[in-house]
Amino acid sequence: DYQFAYYGGRVLAGFQVKRDSEEIDDLVNILRVNQNSIVVIDSDRKKATDRINNTKARIKGECEILGLHCWITHGREIENYIPPRILEQLYSLDNGSLDIKRFDKIEDKLQLAFTRSGIKGFDYSKRKTQYANQISKQIKKEDMSEELMKQISKIENFIRIASRY
């Protein structure tokens, strides 16, 4: 009923969201993967006053025109929705050792906490998928913020409508 197609960071610039486009250009049309697409984008903002870049704004605008859901994260990255205590418990870090704010780069905060705890061999960027699998198994509904639950609800409703459930 649904599938995930992952892209990484700058690759987004090579995509577009257009229905029945006759235009031939160098951009890959996301709707060729699925006409009922949802796009999730890290804002990559470093502070609240930063603007999202032109590519992200373009994709969001293209989705809005077609009535598709485009979620640009409230904080810097999707990982900023992970409660720090989940990470502390999972990786046996001291309580309160992770002070992750909305616009922090989680990779940097985790690396610092691991270094301070004397844990060697942590490399989030090289094993991101492995860490994501570990983390996702630990998170429960009650751990999720109101903002995250709102977005999950929108995605769930979109999938139900597209799947005619």
Side-chain angles (χ1 to χ4, degrees):
D1 293 321
Y2 60 91
Q3 69 184 34
F4 292 92
Y6 295 96
Y7 67 90
R10 292 195 174 111
V11 173
L12 185 64
F15 289 96
Q16 67 181 347
V17 184
K18 294 192 177 172
R19 209 174 293 288
D20 301 324
S21 177
E22 301 260 337
E23 296 175 40
I24 297 177
D25 53 30
D26 293 334
L27 299 178
V28 175
N29 192 343
I30 289 171
L31 297 183
R32 290 196 179 148
V33 173
N34 189 318
Q35 287 289 308
N36 298 304
S37 292
I38 298 168
V39 181
V40 179
I41 304 171
D42 287 340
S43 77
D44 292 327
R45 296 182 306 151
K46 295 177 182 150
K47 58 185 186 284
T49 55
D50 286 351
R51 297 180 54 169
I52 60 167
N53 71 29
N54 292 338
T55 296
K56 294 170 188 186
R58 176 181 57 80
I59 294 289
K60 184 170 177 61
E62 290 172 0
C63 286
E64 287 173 352
I65 288 168
L66 299 174
L68 300 174
H69 184 57
C70 179
W71 168 20
I72 299 178
T73 59
H74 187 61
R76 182 183 189 123
E77 304 165 316
I78 195 91
E79 291 93 338
N80 290 91
Y81 290 102
I82 303 167
R85 68 175 182 74
I86 298 289
L87 299 168
E88 291 167 351
Q89 290 169 0
L90 180 62
Y91 298 117
S92 302
L93 298 168
D94 294 335
N95 281 348
S97 64
L98 285 173
D99 182 27
I100 302 171
K101 304 280 192 282
R102 190 170 125 198
F103 300 105
D104 287 339
K105 191 171 185 177
I106 195 167
E107 178 179 349
D108 294 345
K109 291 291 187 164
L110 281 170
Q111 189 64 54
L112 180 62
F114 273 70
T115 301
R116 284 183 178 161
S117 298
I119 301 169
K120 297 185 187 318
F122 176 79
D123 191 338
Y124 186 79
S125 62
K126 288 185 180 173
R127 297 176 28 201
K128 194 172 187 175
T129 303
Q130 178 186 346
Y131 290 122
N133 286 330
Q134 292 171 346
I135 294 165
S136 66
K137 290 175 185 169
Q138 302 300 314
I139 297 177
K140 296 175 180 49
K141 188 174 182 178
E142 56 269 14
D143 297 320
M144 297 180 192
S145 68
E146 185 178 327
E147 165 68 14
L148 180 57
M149 289 303 300
K150 181 176 109 179
Q151 293 298 337
I152 289 171
S153 180
K154 285 180 181 181
I155 290 170
E156 179 183 15
N157 288 335
F158 189 91
I159 291 170
R160 285 184 193 281
I161 291 167
S163 301
R164 294 172 186 84
Y165 281 120

